[in-house]
Structure formats: structure tokens, C-alpha cells
């Protein structure tokens, strides 16, 4: 790999406001705690806990003001270091906005995006008020200007590949088709990096940014996924598309891609280790700790 | 509670060298990530990862030099703040040495210790080379001078109560008896704070330091205990005393004690959330992250 680990920015961003699920804050903090120690600079975007106060929907987006504040802090942190590459540890999927915008500005048409996710993340306020489902549309400049202002160069849909995308809604299917974005389902991938490598070679980009939403993984095999929230009733996520991949398949694809290109962006998002989230609640019952 | 949260030092100490189990470092980092945000100062003792190098036994103690270095850093961190109270998040049980020594120096005979642990932690090098099993003996000045040098005032055994202690070895039983330390088994506690309160009232101390080794909990009910290490063969811990308490019982005791006194020290130690430790290994397979 041609990227010097000392020039990789580790961006910790335990944002939950994009999904309106406060548990993503703890998940993000845990992810930062278990990740290998960074060898380059590290920045942590301060993300307030949920205080139980109202999270207002403004212009169709929940916690719009908090999100814009956090994006601005992430962008400032990135600019302070002007890194060659960025590892972003979320938090919810919205955390990719600032780092991917910056990488696209830096690398231009030499950058391609692998969006490794069970969902396409191209909705707008009319489809859903949680902006974590909008983030790729924002990066394509398909959103309100207060969000796209941090995207100086929009991502060209021909430079986007969906990896592991499952069932999409009619709106999502239409958007993906209209923009001509290539999509590979878990079954099309068939556990091999071959089709991803084929797309990358055909695209020609030599720098790759990877958005890895862990919900692309099979929720029957991995306990740390939203769909396994023990506080919710069985069936709470009926009708929501779920992932069908293995962690090893994702790792295999990324390593195969990295052998032919430079991975310059890696986001890991939407990690919810329920057993430690549960313990975090128990800890609040201890004296002195609160 | 009379302790101002702003005067409580949060001491993160993901030490593993006292147990010679590197996984305690990740456990300690996760514990710090899931704990409620501190309202006072926070210090993190830098603890190197295991590099696979030899961990030499010197004077009967594994990683003696590393432990002494970390104790010195913890002591310096505590002195910088001179807090009213200290929350210490381990790491292994050895992390209580510096904060408890400091609290005992500060509060003198007005301090009592609740050692909430399946094990008494009073061994010496002849019984075991892992110093996490020595820490309470060190606090009683029953150890080599390089460790007891950080204990300016030794803890009087009459000010120690074992809470949840289970089966002890003949050496441990003899030590506990010889020093006249009171012990309460899970069955003697019977799920109630009554006997602990009785002891605290009889002792008369108004300041309490609590060492909470999570291995006092029942390993059949809590997955985050050493005894549930999935990498070890079944039976690997046969013959080792195991806890039999519930988290709610421990919390109930501590809150009842805190209602009559001030808890001024709380250590949580030996936390090993195996599913996220396992994921931390998987993350090392991803490009850019390492």
C-alpha cells in the first residue's frame, strides 16, 4: 500500500443524530476503543449525548442543526491535517459526508466509492427524516444547500459502486437507475471480490473510498447490528432490507481492491454491540460513576 | 452524596500486565467508552499493547518494570488533581494500587475498603507471578518495597471487608485469618446489603473505597468475564474460584453504603467483553485501519 500510515487521519465521530438513535454514540465510542491504535493523527468530533430533549425536524431533517455543526467540526478537523487518507469511525452513516467530500475534492476523478451497505442511502426528506439515509445523495449534490455546501465537488454516480446492496424501495430503485449507479447484490458477489475488481478496473480510479455500514452483514450471524436491538419487539424491522454478507467477504473484497489501488477512505458505521450497550445502562446504577 | 462530581478524578488504566492477559487492555478501553461521561478531570495512563515480546518475570513478578512504570504514572496523575474521589477503570485488578494508596493517605483511619471480588488478591510471588493477585497485600504493606513505596500509609486489615468472596486456597484462607479480615460470601450476603451495612456501621468509617472485580459476578449469567474466554478449552478454569453474585446485588450494596457514607473510590476491573474483543481481531484484517 502506498499510503503512509502516518498520513492517515483517524476521525472518531460517534454521531447518532443522523439516525435519531442515541445508542450509536456508545457503539461509536466502543468501535474507537477496539480499533487498532492509529499511527497518524487522531481527531474526535464532540457529540453530545441525548438529553431526552426534543430532536426537532427542521426542513424535513431530524436534528438538522446538530448535524450541520458536527459536519463543520469534522471538516475543520480534516482540513487541519490535510491527510492522504481518512479512517472514520461512526456513529451512523451520515459520518461519511465530510470525509468523502474532502477525499473527492482532493482526488477528483481518480476517486471511486465502494458503498458497502444493505441500503443505498440516497433518500431525501420526503422519504425519511433521518439524514443517515440521505448521505450519498448529499455527496452527489442532490440535497439542500446547507448540506451540499460542504461538498465542493460532487461525486459522479459513475464513480459509485454498491457492494452488498439488497432489496430497494421503488423510490430507491428509481434513483439508482436514473443515475446509472452500478449495484452488486450479495448473490451477484457470490463471496468473491471478482466482480468488484472488474468494476474498479473498468472505472480506472486508483484511489478508493469505502463506506462500510455493518448492516450489510447478516443479522442472524452478527449480534452487533441494529436489527438485533433487544429492546425492540420481534418483527420491529419487518419489511426493512437486511444484509446478507459475512465480515470475511467484506474484508476479502477490500484487501483485493487495496492490492490494485490505494484505499484512501474507510468509514465503519452503525455498530451497536448490544451487550455492552446494555452494560452501559447498568453502570449508571453505580454510585460515584455518574 | 457529599462528593462534588467535579472533584472526582476519572482514571482510565487499561493495564493488562498485572494479569499477563493482553485482552484486559481492550476490555479497559471499552469500559471507559461505555461509562457515563465524567464531570470532573479525566486521566488515561498510557498502557502499551502486547507486542508478543517476552514478559519477563523479575523478582517473582511478571512485567514488574512495566507495572512499576504504570503505577508511577497513575500516582502522578492523581497528585496533579488531588481529587476528593477517584473512579478507576481497569484493566486488571492491579489498577487499584495507586488510587487506593492515595485515598488511604488522604482519609486515614476514616477510610474503609470494600473488596468486591471472588478472590482475596493477597497472594505473593511465591503463590503466583501475576501481580493482580497481590494488590491488596501490597496495599497492606505485605510486599516488596518497590511496590509498597507507593503506599505511604498501609491499609489496616480491620478496615477491609471482603464482599462476595468465594472459596479460598489454604494460603489465602490462612492470610485472611491471620490478619483478621472479615469476609462475606454470596450466601452470607443473601442478596441484601444488611450485613455490609452492619460491618460499615461497626467499623465507623465515613469514607469508603470499593474495588469491584467483575469476576465476583456469576459467569453463567454475564458473558464479559474471563471465565467465558471462547479461545480457551472447556474446563480451563476448573478449580479456580468463580463468583456467584448478580450485578444488581452489587449495585444495591454500593448504593446502600453510599446512602450512609461517602464512596470516595470505585474501581471496576477485569472486564472482558468477548464479542467485541473478537471483533477487534477481525478489524485488523481491514486495509487502512492497521
Amino acid at each position: 500500500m502506498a499510503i503512509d500510515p502516518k498520513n492517515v487521519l483517524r476521525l472518531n465521530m460517534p454521531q447518532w443524530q443522523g439516525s435519531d438513535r442515541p445508542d450509536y454514540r456508545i457503539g461509536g465510542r466502543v468501535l474507537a476503543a477496539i480499533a487498532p491504535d492509529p499511527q497518524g493523527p487522531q481527531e474526535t468530533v464532540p457529540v453530545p449525548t441525548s438529553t431526552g430533549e426534543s430532536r426537532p425536524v427542521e426542513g424535513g431533517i431530524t436534528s438538522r442543526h446538530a448535524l450541520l455543526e458536527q459536519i463543520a467540526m469534522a471538516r475543520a478537523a480534516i482540513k487541519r491535517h490535510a491527510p492522504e487518507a481518512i479512517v472514520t469511525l461512526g456513529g451512523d452513516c451520515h459520518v461519511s459526508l465530510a470525509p468523502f467530500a474532502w477525499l473527492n475534492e482532493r482526488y477528483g476523478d481518480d476517486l471511486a466509492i465502494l458503498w458497502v451497505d444493505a441500503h443505498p442511502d440516497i433518500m431525501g426528506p420526503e422519504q425519511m427524516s433521518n439524514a443517515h439515509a440521505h448521505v450519498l445523495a448529499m455527496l452527489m449534490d442532490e440535497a439542500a444547500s446547507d448540506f451540499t455546501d460542504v461538498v465542493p465537488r460532487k461525486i459522479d454516480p459513475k464513480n459509485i459502486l454498491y457492494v452488498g446492496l439488497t432489496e430497494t424501495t421503488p423510490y430507491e430503485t428509481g434513483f439508482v437507475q436514473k443515475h446509472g449507479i452500478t449495484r452488486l447484490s450479495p448473490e451477484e458477489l457470490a463471496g468473491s471480490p471478482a466482480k468488484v475488481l472488474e468494476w474498479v478496473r473498468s472505472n480506472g480510479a486508483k484511489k478508493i473510498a469505502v463506506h462500510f455500514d455493518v448492516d450489510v452483514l447478516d443479522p442472524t450471524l452478527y449480534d452487533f447490528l441494529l436489527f438485533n436491538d433487544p429492546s425492540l419487539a420481534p418483527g420491529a424491522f419487518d419489511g426493512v432490507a437486511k444484509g446478507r454478507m459475512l465480515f470475511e467477504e467484506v474484508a476479502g473484497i477490500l484487501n483485493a481492491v487495496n492490492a490494485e489501488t490505494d484505499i484512501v477512505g474507510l468509514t465503519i458505521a452503525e455498530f451497536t454491540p448490544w451487550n455492552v450497550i446494555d452494560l452501559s445502562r447498568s453502570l449508571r446504577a453505580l454510585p460515584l460513576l455518574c
Side-chain angles (χ1 to χ4, degrees), chain A residues 117-244:
Chain A
D117 198 321
H119 309 103
D121 294 354
I122 44 66
M123 288 189 187
E126 287 175 21
Q127 288 74 43
M128 180 179 275
S129 67
N130 293 335
H132 71 146
H134 307 177
V135 59
L136 189 52
M138 288 173 175
L139 285 162
M140 293 166 66
D141 202 24
E142 298 264 349
S145 64
D146 48 357
F147 284 95
T148 57
D149 278 354
V150 298
V151 186
R153 184 181 195 282
K154 68 178 178 182
I155 292 179
D156 189 328
K158 77 171 168 52
N159 291 331
I160 298 169
L161 175 68
Y162 283 121
V163 176
L165 186 61
T166 56
E167 294 69 32
T168 44
T169 65
Y171 176 84
E172 292 169 334
T173 306
F175 186 104
V176 170
Q177 285 179 347
K178 173 183 150 203
H179 290 86
I181 307 176
T182 308
R183 58 191 285 177
L184 291 170
S185 70
E187 291 67 30
E188 287 167 318
L189 291 162
S192 158
K195 293 206 172 170
V196 176
L197 285 177
E198 197 178 300
W199 182 89
V200 168
R201 287 174 195 148
S202 156
N203 175 278
K206 290 294 172 200
K207 308 289 180 187
I208 307 287
V210 177
H211 174 89
F212 177 14
D213 177 345
V214 293
D215 82 5
V216 79
L217 303 175
D218 183 336
T220 67
L221 301 175
Y222 300 92
D223 52 9
F224 50 74
L225 303 182
L226 176 63
F227 303 121
N228 294 321
D229 184 343
S231 74
L232 297 180
F237 291 105
D238 283 358
V240 177
K242 296 175 189 68
R244 294 192 288 271

Side-chain angles (χ1 to χ4, degrees), chain A residues 29-53:
Chain A
R29 288 169 57 90
V30 172
L31 188 59
I34 67 173
D37 290 343
Q39 296 177 56
Q42 181 166 216
E43 294 268 1
T44 298
V45 175
V47 174
T49 52
S50 167
T51 57
E53 288 166 16

